[in-house]
Amino acid sequence: MKQTDLFLKTKKQALKDDTSLNSQLLYRAGYIDKTMAGAYALLPLGLQLHNNICNIIRKEINLLNAQELKLNILTPKENWVKTDRWDNFDALFRFKSSYGSSFALGATHEEIITPLAKDFIKSYKDLPFALYQIQTKLRDEARPKGGMLRLREFTMKDLYSFHENRQDLDKYYEKVKKAYLKIFKQLKLKVYAVEASGETFSNLSHEFLTPLEIGEDEILVCEKDETHFCKKSDHGEIQTCPVCKSNIKKIKVAELAHIFKLETKFSKAFDVNYLDKQGKQNLVYMGCYGIGISRIIGILAEKFADDKGLSFPNSVAPFSIHLVPLYTKEAKVNKKIQDQILKIYDKLVKSNISVLYDNREVSNSIKLVESDLIGIPYRIVISEKTLENNSFEFKERNKKTAKIIPLKNFNEKLIK
Ligand SMILES: [Zn+2]
């Protein structure tokens, strides 16, 4: 894509009344705009980043035999009354329409998916199955904070599974856990899957936590081997590892995802039964599995950045290559630079590599500073210097120095 065609303006000034590094960087680099506290709009660069994250998630969740659907954000009060959450879900947006009916805005979707699934479940032959959506959620947060980390409006992937019994739910739950580890590996995020006592549900649940200085939680981990001991900190004293007696370290973490064994809590509320082989009615077992996509954007921006700007991994970056010509004062030289850059641009486009070509009429220094700020993982520069020795400059955003590579060695394998 040519940069003059992209809806993008980087900003020099900081976002007002917003102290988070992630929202400041994303705003200045032209990924987001702030609508109000707790609600950011995704601009084209931000939406591409968001979609790349969604696609990594989608690919792994589809492999779990789950099917994607889309539920409503506008939900009826009755469903929330049935599960006792109309009055007890603190962050639920509730309102009355001008015509008298009461509604809640979807903060989570058990109240919608459970009665929907009920219509599809008659006997054991209809089980198991799993459904998921990538959907906007709304929560009435008193104090949205941490930039993209705690929002009033955000995107979540939520998956729900339905089973005959506890054993089948346990099996599926373990599969989801493994799929999540694969997802976070592709997102280049170190993750701890930590047992958590569910706050909303009393059953077993796991939180997927990543080390982050501004994270809202703390975990305790064995210093020698993280698989020995890893537990959510209850803000208690530092202790020794129960396996090897090494010291325990405290790490600040942020939540990426949370999974729960709901068991029969919601099937009871909506009376979701199936007929077993013996002709007996049983309650359906359920699990639910969330991933916070908007907060992942914030966490990635927080982690993959330096004093020059963002530095996203190629698996999620909105473009793989930033193509930057550095012009001189001589028209003849500039013509050669442009011919060279267009040749490379065509090659990349033909190879299906996502490339942003900076064709703007701005100074060389502006091009380079803004390129660092936007954080596209690889940069190719053509200049008078590279023309002289038939080469191009290749720089990885997260490395300090650039390589000079002969043009004849140009190929797409440069990109990891
Ligand atoms: Zn240990």
Side-chain angles (χ1 to χ4, degrees):
M1 186 178 208
K2 290 179 177 151
Q3 204 158 326
T4 48
D5 293 337
L6 182 65
F7 185 75
L8 168 70
K9 277 242 161 42
T10 60
K11 307 245 175 24
K12 278 203 179 74
Q13 77 281 17
L15 199 51
K16 272 185 204 154
D17 308 319
D18 203 318
T19 53
S20 298
L21 177 69
N22 67 82
S23 47
Q24 288 295 355
L25 279 173
L26 289 164
Y27 171 76
R28 286 189 44 231
Y31 282 71
I32 59 168
D33 194 51
K34 188 172 183 173
T35 309
M36 59 186 159
Y40 298 91
L42 294 173
L43 302 181
L45 275 185
L47 184 61
Q48 191 56 53
L49 170 69
H50 171 276
N51 290 348
N52 291 346
I53 296 168
C54 290
N55 288 337
I56 288 174
I57 294 173
R58 209 173 250 129
K59 200 182 84 214
E60 294 300 331
I61 301 300
N62 287 344
L63 289 173
L64 296 170
N65 242 343
Q67 290 181 57
E68 187 169 358
L69 47 60
K70 196 163 187 185
L71 303 169
N72 295 98
I73 303 176
L74 188 64
T75 68
K77 175 181 176 180
E78 300 80 67
N79 295 32
W80 298 88
V81 170
K82 271 199 179 155
T83 58
D84 225 12
R85 293 209 284 186
W86 178 260
D87 290 318
N88 296 318
F89 198 126
D90 283 345
L92 192 66
F93 269 114
R94 314 165 182 84
F95 66 96
K96 205 170 197 163
S97 89
S98 320
Y99 305 102
S101 306
S102 291
F103 301 98
L105 298 177
T108 172
H109 276 88
E110 286 85 1
E111 273 79 357
I112 307 308
I113 197 112
T114 314
L116 182 152
K118 181 183 162 86
D119 279 349
F120 289 77
I121 303 171
K122 293 284 171 281
S123 82
Y124 68 93
K125 289 178 190 159
D126 299 318
L127 295 166
F129 63 90
L131 301 166
Y132 76 99
Q133 62 173 344
I134 291 178
Q135 177 65 287
T136 299
K137 306 277 183 193
L138 292 125
R139 289 195 186 168
D140 196 2
E141 292 285 353
R143 279 179 304 279
K145 61 176 182 183
M148 300 280 286
L149 265 69
R150 186 179 290 185
L151 297 169
R152 291 199 170 103
E153 182 180 325
F154 54 95
T155 313
M156 240 179 96
K157 186 282 298 171
D158 46 332
L159 164 70
Y160 304 88
S161 68
F162 300 84
H163 310 267
E164 278 185 59
N165 50 43
R166 180 176 281 123
Q167 290 84 335
D168 199 53
L169 166 61
D170 287 350
K171 242 171 39 197
Y172 196 77
Y173 187 90
E174 288 309 313
K175 278 190 201 163
V176 176
K177 243 163 81 180
K178 281 198 187 121
Y180 272 31
L181 296 178
K182 276 164 75 184
I183 288 168
F184 295 122
K185 200 169 172 192
Q186 290 169 73
L187 296 175
K188 310 290 177 203
L189 291 170
K190 183 180 170 74
V191 67
Y192 296 94
V194 181
E195 243 178 66
S197 55
E199 293 130 26
T200 320
F201 314 106
S202 57
N203 294 312
L204 186 68
S205 77
H206 282 82
E207 283 173 78
F208 291 76
L209 305 163
T210 193
L212 191 74
E213 214 25 68
I214 62 153
E216 61 279 76
D217 278 320
E218 267 178 0
I219 52 169
L220 303 171
V221 180
C222 169
E223 267 187 1
K224 197 172 151 214
D225 184 337
E226 286 168 352
T227 61
H228 283 173
F229 179 81
C230 181
K231 181 178 172 282
K232 219 168 157 187
S233 162
D234 46 14
H235 302 286
E237 74 300 336
I238 312 271
Q239 40 195 304
T240 57
C241 169
V243 181
C244 70
K245 307 291 171 213
S246 294
N247 285 336
I248 297 284
K249 60 182 171 187
K250 219 182 231 184
I251 304 173
K252 288 270 258 176
V253 287
E255 186 184 300
L256 301 165
H258 205 154
I259 62 177
F260 301 89
K261 289 180 188 175
L262 301 170
E263 302 206 319
T264 58
K265 181 183 161 79
F266 288 88
S267 50
K268 233 182 242 164
F270 290 97
D271 200 21
V272 187
N273 291 284
Y274 73 95
L275 219 51
D276 68 14
K277 276 184 187 152
Q278 283 75 39
K280 212 177 115 226
Q281 290 279 358
N282 294 286
L283 281 171
V284 168
Y285 275 73
M286 284 174 63
C288 80
Y289 319 85
I291 296 184
I293 293 165
S294 301
R295 71 170 17 231
I296 286 176
I297 293 176
I299 289 167
L300 287 170
E302 199 81 27
K303 281 191 178 225
F304 295 97
D306 57 22
D307 55 349
K308 291 180 176 152
L310 296 160
S311 173
F312 287 122
N314 194 31
S315 57
V316 295
F319 292 95
S320 288
I321 295 189
H322 205 178
L323 198 52
V324 182
L326 300 182
Y327 291 117
T328 65
K329 282 179 187 146
E330 286 179 58
K332 235 168 92 185
V333 178
N334 290 349
K335 173 79 175 63
K336 281 185 189 165
I337 291 174
Q338 195 180 37
D339 286 350
Q340 196 58 68
I341 213 99
L342 285 172
K343 257 190 217 164
I344 295 177
Y345 180 63
D346 283 346
K347 253 190 204 172
L348 290 169
V349 171
K350 278 191 189 123
S351 314
N352 256 336
I353 293 171
S354 63
V355 52
L356 182 65
Y357 159 35
D358 193 346
N359 61 333
R360 298 173 304 159
E361 286 176 18
V362 296
S363 75
N364 291 338
S365 62
I366 287 180
K367 284 182 196 169
L368 294 173
V369 166
E370 293 193 0
S371 173
D372 280 338
L373 178 62
I374 298 167
I376 295 169
Y378 303 97
R379 181 163 74 207
I380 289 178
V381 168
I382 298 288
S383 63
E384 187 175 20
K385 201 175 89 191
T386 68
L387 276 185
E388 277 166 16
N389 47 14
N390 259 324
S391 62
F392 63 95
E393 187 189 297
F394 184 77
K395 184 173 178 303
E396 295 181 46
R397 173 64 184 83
N398 59 7
K399 298 252 167 76
K400 282 223 155 56
T401 51
K403 285 182 205 157
I404 303 294
I405 301 176
L407 273 167
K408 62 176 175 13
N409 292 357
F410 176 83
N411 90 42
E412 59 259 41
K413 288 193 187 114
L414 286 165
I415 304 159
K416 281 168 237 150

